[in-house]
């Protein structure tokens, strides 16, 4: 929960898998944007979000020089660039085949379980890779 004028709840520091962050940046690097933070600061004078007066559109690759910059700054730290890879159980995949199931369910359950088990250790810190699966309760592993 957050106490802000523009929303009551938001996600914060969700670890994005390394490949997803890099692919997102690669796919958008030549697109244009006028802002680094898309959460707020838009011109709403026409009723739709427009670039702020006086802002210049530039390629994503200039506004976000590295994949990490895009993933962490575009939605004001909603996401965190993770060194973890898809399938690790420690990061959220932006793209996956729904017919194969949603790999993010296990990731969300893991972090929820981790927060209940040791709340002080969860904030902005990814657990060690080799402990991720062993630490999960059997009910989560049996998804």
């Amino acid at each position: 929960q957050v106490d802000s004028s523009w929303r009551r709840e938001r996600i914060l520091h969700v670890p994005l898998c390394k490949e997803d962050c890099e692919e997102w940046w690669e796919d958008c690097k030549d697109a244009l944007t006028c802002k680094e933070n898309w959460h707020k600061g838009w011109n709403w004078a026409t009723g739709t979000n427009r670039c702020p007066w006086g802002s210049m559109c530039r390629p994503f690759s200039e506004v976000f020089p590295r994949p990490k910059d895009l993933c962490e700054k575009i939605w004001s730290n909603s996401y965190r660039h993770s060194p973890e890879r898809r399938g690790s159980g420690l990061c959220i995949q932006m793209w996956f085949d729904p017919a194969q199931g949603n790999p993010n369910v296990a990731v969300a359950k893991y972090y929820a379980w981790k927060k209940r088990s040791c709340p002080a250790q969860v904030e902005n810190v990814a657990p060690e890779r080799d402990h991720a699966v062993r630490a999960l309760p059997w009910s989560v592993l049996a998804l």
Side-chain angles (χ1 to χ4, degrees):
Q1 292 186 344
V2 293
D3 184 22
S4 72
S5 61
W6 51 289
R7 70 174 25 152
R8 290 189 182 157
E9 296 178 333
R10 64 170 290 199
I11 59 172
L12 190 61
H13 305 294
V14 172
L16 284 184
C17 296
K18 179 179 177 67
E19 301 93 331
D20 289 70
C21 186
E22 291 171 356
E23 287 177 18
W24 184 11
W25 185 86
E26 188 65 35
D27 289 346
C28 294
K29 70 181 180 184
D30 297 323
L32 300 175
T33 185
C34 61
K35 292 177 47 46
E36 182 178 83
N37 181 349
W38 286 13
H39 259 150
K40 54 187 176 177
W42 295 101
N43 172 5
W44 288 94
T46 63
T48 59
N49 60 326
R50 301 278 186 205
C51 289
W53 297 110
S55 64
M56 299 282 297
C57 285
R58 300 179 311 176
F60 269 53
S61 60
E62 288 181 22
V63 177
F64 308 107
R66 302 170 301 155
K68 178 178 179 164
D69 298 319
L70 170 64
C71 294
E72 294 183 358
K73 293 177 180 179
I74 197 164
W75 297 117
S76 58
N77 296 305
S78 290
Y79 298 107
R80 179 175 52 81
H81 176 268
S82 172
E84 303 298 337
R85 298 213 172 262
R86 291 179 186 151
S88 67
L90 300 175
C91 59
I92 295 293
Q93 289 180 220
M94 291 181 82
W95 301 281
F96 55 88
D97 179 0
Q100 304 275 329
N102 184 341
N104 298 326
V105 172
V107 176
K109 286 183 178 183
Y110 169 74
Y111 283 104
W113 175 84
K114 182 82 170 165
K115 187 168 180 91
R116 281 193 309 271
S117 299
C118 31
Q121 294 179 10
V122 175
E123 297 298 319
N124 298 326
V125 178
E128 295 178 33
R129 171 177 285 174
D130 61 338
H131 293 106
V133 174
R134 287 188 310 207
L136 288 172
W138 177 249
S139 60
V140 173
L141 292 172
L143 286 176

